């Protein structure tokens, strides 16, 4: 596959990625609930690697909840 083909495929899948997981919202909310106490114990200079983050909703949640990290 050429780079432009990979990019086009990614863009096509990303457009509907979040909507295909809407039925899983209760699980996502539970994940956010469970992450909060764990992440609140991290030092302010912590680094976080998120692999396979999809469109990044978890990262946005974490950035809002823990702007110092």
């Amino acid at each position: 596959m050429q780079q432009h083909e990979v990019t086009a495929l990614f863009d096509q899948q990303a457009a509907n990625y979040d909507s295909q997981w809407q039925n899983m919202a209760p699980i996502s909310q539970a994940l956010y609930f469970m992450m909060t106490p764990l992440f609140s114990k991290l030092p302010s200079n912590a680094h976080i690697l998120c692999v396979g983050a999809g469109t990044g909703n978890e990262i946005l949640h974490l950035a809002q909840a823990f702007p110092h990290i």
Side-chain angles (χ1 to χ4, degrees):
M1 242 181 178
Q2 298 293 325
Q3 181 62 41
H4 69 278
E5 294 172 314
V6 172
T7 300
L9 180 60
F10 176 83
D11 289 345
Q12 178 186 7
Q13 292 176 348
N16 298 315
Y17 185 85
D18 288 333
S19 64
Q20 77 183 18
W21 294 104
Q22 283 179 343
N23 292 340
M24 303 297 281
I27 293 173
S28 295
Q29 294 304 317
L31 174 66
Y32 299 157
F33 180 74
M34 291 172 23
M35 286 189 321
T36 300
L38 294 173
F39 280 72
S40 66
K41 296 177 184 178
L42 292 175
S44 61
N45 63 344
H47 296 273
I48 299 169
L49 172 65
C50 188
V51 178
T55 57
N57 281 336
E58 292 87 0
I59 299 300
L60 291 174
H61 170 78
L62 290 172
Q64 291 172 351
F66 304 100
H68 62 280
I69 297 178

